[in-house]
């Protein structure tokens, strides 16, 4: 792949107080952009000052939503270094999304190198306070102009950076989730396994209804029988049932989370029985009533490991582990964040150093 052209900003932004930051509201000085043209491939790779795109009103993404994205983080270690967690997995997953959405594939190795360069340039924006990080948002959209329905012949790929604090206002404190029994997120053969913007647009109504009732997010059921749990709005879900770690299998309707994959590997290495299978809402209710639903937690880049203290289904609420973070959830949180922030050595080749 070609060289990356670099144009540094002449007007660096004033940095906010980076000790108390919201999630995803502040952006750094630079962004990475490249263009794709059918028959030519990716070209004009560049790091430029952060700024808006100018797009024709007939640009295809506005009409038929060919848009995909990713989410990963750069972490500041105690000794001042900066590192990424499994970045290649994000660009590989982006290619899975691209394939489903008839979009251009990227070169994952090139994207990791471009990201390292971008983070290095904006290194002063990687926060140092506990539990903060630099959230990275790679995304791609169709920028061909035209209102006929077909796959675009041109795309823009971009990466922006956002110094961020906790995704949930609860932080590591347990969240409340509600099993959604009206709207569905994904069906077999659909786009559930991709990170396309449309999946999230379709999820907003249920999330709003849940928020009105005091829940942080919804737990989706499968789109065919509305019987089996799948995942939460922005994270995968895991249960400790009678000593075993159980999570819904990824069979096309669930986003194959990179945190999920990492946690399952760690749990297996620690000797837990790990089951990836169909888990019905009824099974969860029964386990909760029998005292066997010992812990619930969500996994995600933004959400990290998020304990679930209460789960509601059909108007009834079930408190998990007395509403407190479970022992295994805490242990997994400590292990994962230890690796990500460099407090625990990376023995699995998950960490990529930036500087
Ligand atoms: N499920 C959904 C719907 C998500 O948006 C995310 C976040 O990316 C996840 C699961 C967790 O995936 P990952 O661990 O790769 O961040
Ligand atoms: C992530 O965890 O990176 C996500 O993309 C979740 C959400 C912010 C959409």
């Amino acid at each position: 792949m070609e060289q990356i052209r670099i144009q540094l900003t002449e007007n660096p932004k004033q940095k906010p107080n980076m000790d108390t930051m919201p999630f995803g509201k502040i952006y750094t000085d630079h962004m990475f952009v490249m263009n794709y043209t059918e028959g030519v491939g990716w070209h004009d790779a560049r790091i430029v000052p952060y700024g808006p795109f100018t797009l024709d009103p007939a640009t295809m993404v506005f009409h038929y939503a060919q848009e995909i994205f990713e989410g990963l983080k750069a972490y500041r270690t105690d000794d001042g270094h900066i590192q990424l967690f499994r970045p290649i997995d994000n660009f590989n997953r982006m290619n899975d999304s691209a394939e489903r959405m008839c979009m251009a594939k990227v070169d994952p190795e090139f994207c990791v190198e471009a990201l390292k360069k971008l983070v290095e340039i904006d290194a002063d924006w990687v926060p140092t306070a506990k539990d903060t990080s630099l959230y990275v948002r790679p995304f791609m959209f169709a920028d061909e102009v035209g209102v006929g329905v077909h796959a675009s012949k041109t795309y823009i790929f971009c990466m922006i950076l956002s110094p961020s604090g906790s995704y949930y206002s609860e932080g590591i404190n347990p969240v409340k989730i509600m099993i959604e029994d009206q709207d569905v997120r994904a069906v077999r053969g659909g786009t559930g396994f991709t990170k396309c913007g449309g999946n999230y647009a379709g999820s907003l109504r249920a999330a709003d209804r849940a928020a009105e009732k005091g829940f942080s997010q919804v737990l989706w059921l499968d789109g065919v029988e509305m019987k089996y749990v799948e995942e939460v709005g922005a994270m995968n879900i895991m249960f400790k049932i009678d000593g075993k770690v159980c999570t819904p299998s990824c069979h096309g309707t669930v986003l194959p989370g990179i945190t999920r994959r990492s946690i399952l590997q760690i749990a297996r290495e620690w000797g837990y029985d790990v089951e990836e299978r169909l888990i019905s809402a009824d099974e969860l209710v029964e386990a909760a009533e029998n005292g066997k639903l010992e812990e619930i937690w969500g996994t995600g880049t933004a959400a990290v490991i998020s304990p679930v203290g209460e789960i509601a289904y059909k108007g009834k609420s079930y408190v998990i582990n007395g509403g407190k973070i479970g022992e295994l959830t805490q242990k997994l949180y400590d292990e994962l964040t230890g690796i990500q922030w460099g407090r625990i050595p990376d023995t699995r080749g998950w960490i990529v150093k930036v500087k």
Side-chain angles (χ1 to χ4, degrees), residues 80-95:
H81 291 286
I82 299 170
Q83 57 189 32
L84 303 165
F85 183 71
R86 309 190 78 169
I88 197 86
D89 291 31
N90 287 92
F91 297 109
N92 284 329
R93 185 171 66 188
M94 187 170 224
N95 279 344

Side-chain angles (χ1 to χ4, degrees), residues 151-209:
S152 177
K153 293 183 174 53
T154 59
Y155 296 93
I156 293 178
F157 171 91
C158 180
M159 292 193 273
I160 55 173
L161 309 174
S162 174
S164 291
S166 289
Y167 184 65
Y168 295 116
S169 52
E170 289 91 337
I172 179 73
N173 295 318
V175 296
K176 289 164 66 173
I177 58 172
M178 194 186 99
I179 297 183
E180 168 64 28
D181 56 11
Q182 292 174 51
D183 291 357
V184 295
R185 176 185 177 278
V187 290
R188 223 175 300 145
T191 59
F193 68 94
T194 74
K195 256 178 114 63
C196 69
N199 284 347
Y200 296 80
S203 76
L204 299 176
R205 182 170 74 172
D208 278 356
R209 281 196 302 236

